[in-house]
């Protein structure tokens, strides 16, 4: 069986940085909110904002497996995939499988809701989001409530994601290791089926330039006022 496996690059460096960076930042945001370190909470939120913005753009101009067009499929495709998985069991995929693609979109959407609502939120004591003054107090209160409740949804989704990764690992699909190394061992038949010969990866330099541009915009328009408070 091992002789029929081929080592293939499936994840580029920017995608892997986004995955692990998001995990670390969400953990830091959770801790800073719980500890009342709101200035650092905001700074970490801006860092996450840069990360998500870069990922959204990278999903359009980045490497093949990072592009939304590569892993966001129609509901029919997802249903067919689930049916095949039920009949034949879990198999390795090049990039995100159809269900995993929906998980990525849902998670990014919830994080965007979290970041946007946080811009208008207030703890009603010392800290207000940078756009708090642009809305009424009732709207700010509702967005603050949404900011808190939405994070609970993110935690639920993260738990489901970890569980799914664990199931895949037990079934022999080494997706966790691939997110570290960027490589997976896949059956030759899978490469033929997925046209792996046509898989291309965008320049890491492009991702660096993109991150710098987005970072400058976030720092200049949102982050500097918070840094001055420290």
């Amino acid at each position: 069986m091992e002789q029929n496996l081929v080592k293939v690059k499936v994840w580029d460096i920017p995608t892997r940085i986004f995955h692990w960076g998001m995990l670390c930042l969400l953990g830091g945001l959770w801790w800073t909110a719980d500890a009342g370190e709101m200035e650092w909470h905001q700074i970490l939120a801006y860092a996450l904002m840069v990360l998500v913005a870069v990922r959204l753009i990278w999903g359009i101009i980045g490497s093949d497996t990072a592009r939304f067009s590569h892993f966001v499929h129609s509901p029919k495709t997802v249903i067919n995939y689930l049916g095949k998985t039920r009949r034949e069991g879990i198999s390795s995929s090049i990039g995100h499988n159809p269900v995993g693609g929906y998980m990525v979109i849902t998670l990014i959407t919830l994080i965007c809701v979290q970041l946007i609502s946080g811009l208008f939120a207030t703890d009603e004591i010392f800290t207000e989001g940078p756009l708090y003054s642009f809305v009424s107090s009732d709207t700010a209160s509702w967005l603050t409530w949404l900011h808190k409740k939405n994070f609970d949804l993110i935690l639920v989704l993260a738990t489901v994601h970890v569980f799914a990764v664990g199931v895949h690992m037990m079934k022999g699909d080494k997706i966790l290791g691939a997110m570290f190394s960027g490589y997976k061992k896949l059956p030759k038949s899978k490469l033929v089926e997925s046209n792996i010969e046509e898989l291309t990866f965008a320049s890491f330099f492009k991702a660096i330039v993109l991150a710098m541009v987005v970072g400058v915009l976030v720092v200049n328009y949102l982050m500097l006022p918070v840094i001055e408070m420290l």
Side-chain angles (χ1 to χ4, degrees):
M1 183 69 176
E2 187 70 23
Q3 294 178 349
N4 295 325
L5 298 179
V6 179
K7 187 177 181 181
V8 179
K9 182 178 180 180
V10 293
W11 298 120
D12 58 18
I13 294 176
T15 302
R16 285 179 276 157
I17 290 176
F18 168 77
H19 182 274
W20 297 115
M22 182 180 66
L23 176 64
C24 293
L25 287 172
L26 285 174
L29 285 163
W30 190 4
W31 180 83
T32 52
D34 188 61
E37 298 287 346
M38 299 311 297
E39 292 86 357
W40 285 107
H41 183 78
Q42 288 184 304
I43 290 175
L44 291 180
Y46 296 142
L48 182 59
M49 188 178 296
V50 172
L51 202 66
V52 171
V54 170
R55 180 64 183 92
L56 289 173
I57 300 173
W58 199 245
I60 300 173
I61 67 172
S63 304
D64 283 354
T65 53
R67 296 193 180 199
F68 299 123
S69 59
H70 185 270
F71 60 82
V72 179
H73 303 281
S74 67
K76 181 180 179 181
T77 300
V78 175
I79 292 172
N80 290 339
Y81 171 80
L82 290 173
K84 182 179 179 181
T85 300
R86 183 178 180 181
R87 293 190 306 270
E88 304 175 8
I90 292 175
S91 61
S92 298
S93 299
I94 299 174
H96 297 294
N97 62 50
V99 176
Y102 275 61
M103 173 68 77
V104 171
I105 295 301
T106 304
L107 183 56
I108 290 178
T109 299
L110 289 179
I111 290 176
C112 287
V113 170
Q114 190 71 6
L115 291 170
I116 293 172
S117 61
L119 295 174
F120 302 90
T122 176
D123 64 1
E124 299 181 348
I125 303 176
F126 298 112
T127 308
E128 298 172 348
L131 303 183
Y132 170 79
S133 61
F134 288 88
V135 297
S136 66
S137 59
D138 288 342
T139 300
S141 296
W142 182 81
L143 288 170
T144 301
W145 173 86
L146 177 63
H147 189 68
K148 295 176 180 178
K149 296 301 180 181
N150 186 69
F151 191 74
D152 293 337
L153 292 178
I154 293 175
L155 291 178
V156 171
L157 194 65
T159 302
V160 173
H161 177 63
V162 171
F163 175 77
V165 169
V167 172
H168 275 259
M169 294 290 290
M170 289 188 293
K171 297 296 182 178
D173 185 11
K174 308 301 182 182
I175 56 178
L176 186 61
M179 196 52 73
F180 280 106
S181 68
Y183 290 85
K184 290 181 74 172
K185 288 185 177 181
L186 298 167
K188 291 182 179 180
S189 59
K190 176 67 69 173
L191 308 188
V192 175
E193 175 187 336
S194 304
N195 294 321
I196 192 65
E197 299 85 357
E198 301 178 5
L199 201 62
T200 58
F201 292 87
S203 168
F204 183 47
F205 178 73
K206 182 196 293 187
I208 294 176
V209 172
L210 176 61
M212 290 176 62
V213 171
V214 174
V216 167
L217 292 174
V218 170
V219 168
N220 283 339
Y221 291 100
L222 293 174
M223 196 171 176
L224 280 179
V226 177
I227 293 178
E228 293 172 355
M229 292 171 57
L230 294 179

